[in-house]
Amino acid sequence: MNDQSFDTNHAKPLGKFEHPDITAKGETRASVPLIGATTLWFNTGTLCNIECVNCYIESSPTNDALVYITPEEVVDYLDQIKARNWPTTEIGFTGGEPFMNPDMIDMTRACLERGYEVLILTNAMLPMMRKSVKAGLLALQAEFGDNLTMRVSLDHFKAEYHDTERGRGSYNVTIKGMQWLRDNGFKMAVAGRTVWGDSDAQSRAGYNALFAEHGFDIDAHNPAMTVLFPEMDMSVKVPEITTACWGILNKKKSDVMCSSSRMVVKRKGASKPAVLACTLLAYSPEFELGETLEQAEGDVKLNHPHCAKFCVLGGASCSG
């Protein structure tokens, strides 16, 4: 087989991640079915109180490419979950900074009242610490308790590194927010980053010491409670994922995030929200599946470098 395949419509060699069905080497591209939609994510909007280095979704105080989603739109998708009989147990909210959205408390309540577990990704900074937001969160905590988890973005256990990503002084502000969550009995998790080259063991030991110092009830050694994200560097070359990769890597399609989740976004200027295959690819139109959950039930073709680097390979390679 030649190293390159040709696009028959244009008679030119295909590049990597160009054709939805075949790779640059002419092999059949892998795809992932929706095996069980256990999590539905809502992007609350891309506006954020800060602008981080290498933010995967380019959130900032001025980026409104994804506008605020509304409680009515969230409830519509909750109704669709029931109508489609999805096995959803968890609703996730991400941004931007979710607490920039003025309806965040109402949207959270709508999900909790229907019995879902809710996960909110937050930087635990000033938007979360506004008086009205704290009052709303305390009411939710009192009524729904452990069904609500706050996953706080704490890029590193040392202030100097965290602040290089999020701005000088941001670490101390986030720690203050976490202390408020701790003092009021909220269930917490943490999301960190691995850009500084610490080993997994070193990172988890550092977070463990930090959590012990502040009395944060977070398990640093549980990957679900202390999530360590690699950098989303598009310049890093990765192989394309073919149908043969599953057997070569001894990996199951159910291991990949798009087999069990979808994300709802509201694009600026759009009349309705859209459902995406992946939380990491909000700006890639080929991963937009439609406006309804029914339309989003199709297979997802792994036609992006992030599919390989983050969701399938995990450091391994299935291509010679």
Side-chain angles (χ1 to χ4, degrees):
M1 181 181 295
N2 293 330
D3 282 347
Q4 288 186 312
S5 179
F6 285 81
D7 183 336
T8 56
N9 292 325
H10 300 89
K12 65 178 182 180
L14 283 175
K16 292 172 69 174
F17 303 104
E18 285 189 3
H19 194 284
D21 299 313
I22 58 175
T23 69
K25 292 185 177 181
E27 300 169 296
T28 303
R29 186 177 305 285
S31 63
V32 173
L34 186 62
I35 297 170
T38 55
T39 301
L40 182 63
W41 288 91
F42 290 96
N43 187 294
T44 61
T46 40
L47 287 174
C48 188
N49 56 302
I50 57 175
E51 186 170 2
C52 301
V53 177
N54 295 326
C55 176
Y56 80 97
I57 203 167
E58 302 173 2
S59 298
S60 77
T62 59
N63 180 14
D64 60 351
L66 302 182
V67 297
Y68 290 152
I69 201 161
T70 69
E72 293 76 18
E73 289 164 339
V74 168
V75 168
D76 177 66
Y77 282 99
L78 299 182
D79 290 340
Q80 290 184 49
I81 289 173
K82 184 176 181 180
R84 300 302 300 166
N85 198 30
W86 277 20
T88 305
T89 57
E90 179 184 55
I91 303 297
F93 289 99
T94 184
E97 166 53 45
F99 290 109
M100 294 284 285
N101 188 314
D103 293 317
M104 190 63 230
I105 297 298
D106 290 341
M107 294 187 294
T108 303
R109 175 171 289 279
C111 299
L112 289 168
E113 286 179 341
R114 296 199 181 199
Y116 295 108
E117 296 182 5
V118 173
L119 175 65
I120 302 176
L121 278 54
T122 178
N123 57 37
M125 296 179 75
L126 297 181
M128 189 194 79
M129 296 295 284
R130 298 197 308 271
K131 184 177 180 180
S132 60
V133 173
K134 289 197 293 184
L137 285 173
L138 289 173
L140 293 175
Q141 168 66 10
E143 191 169 349
F144 300 102
D146 283 349
N147 282 350
L148 174 61
T149 299
M150 312 291 283
R151 183 193 286 172
V152 179
S153 296
L154 193 67
D155 289 335
H156 198 272
F157 49 87
K158 292 183 179 179
E160 61 186 293
Y161 295 127
H162 176 92
D163 285 359
T164 62
E165 297 287 325
R166 295 178 180 261
R168 186 175 180 179
S170 60
Y171 179 91
N172 289 335
V173 178
T174 291
I175 291 294
K176 185 177 180 180
M178 293 178 71
Q179 290 169 337
W180 181 83
L181 292 170
R182 174 204 64 197
D183 293 344
N184 289 283
F186 285 88
K187 188 176 177 182
M188 279 193 291
V190 154
R193 296 167 78 167
T194 62
V195 64
W196 297 277
D198 298 334
S199 69
D200 185 81
Q202 289 170 330
S203 291
R204 296 190 184 282
Y207 279 108
N208 187 63
L210 175 70
F211 299 159
E213 176 187 352
H214 291 283
F216 296 149
D217 185 16
I218 306 171
D219 186 349
H221 301 287
N222 181 346
M225 298 303 293
T226 302
V227 188
L228 301 177
F229 289 104
E231 291 304 288
M232 298 178 68
D233 187 352
M234 287 290 290
S235 68
V236 176
K237 294 182 179 180
V238 293
E240 297 183 278
I241 304 300
T242 71
T243 53
C245 288
W246 306 116
I248 294 170
L249 294 173
N250 192 29
K251 193 143 188 172
K252 297 178 292 184
K253 295 182 179 182
S254 59
D255 294 332
V256 182
M257 187 169 64
C258 57
S259 72
S260 60
S261 70
R262 294 289 186 263
M263 183 171 76
V264 178
V265 305
K266 182 78 175 289
R267 301 195 188 282
K268 187 175 183 178
S271 60
K272 294 181 179 180
V275 188
L276 309 184
C278 178
T279 61
L280 302 179
L281 299 171
Y283 300 132
S284 298
E286 65 270 30
F287 289 88
E288 186 169 314
L289 304 175
E291 294 178 348
T292 68
L293 297 188
E294 181 178 7
Q295 293 170 326
E297 291 175 346
D299 290 5
V300 177
K301 296 173 182 178
L302 303 184
N303 191 25
H304 194 281
H306 291 343
C307 302
K309 182 177 181 181
F310 295 102
C311 295
V312 178
L313 293 179
S317 177
C318 60
S319 180

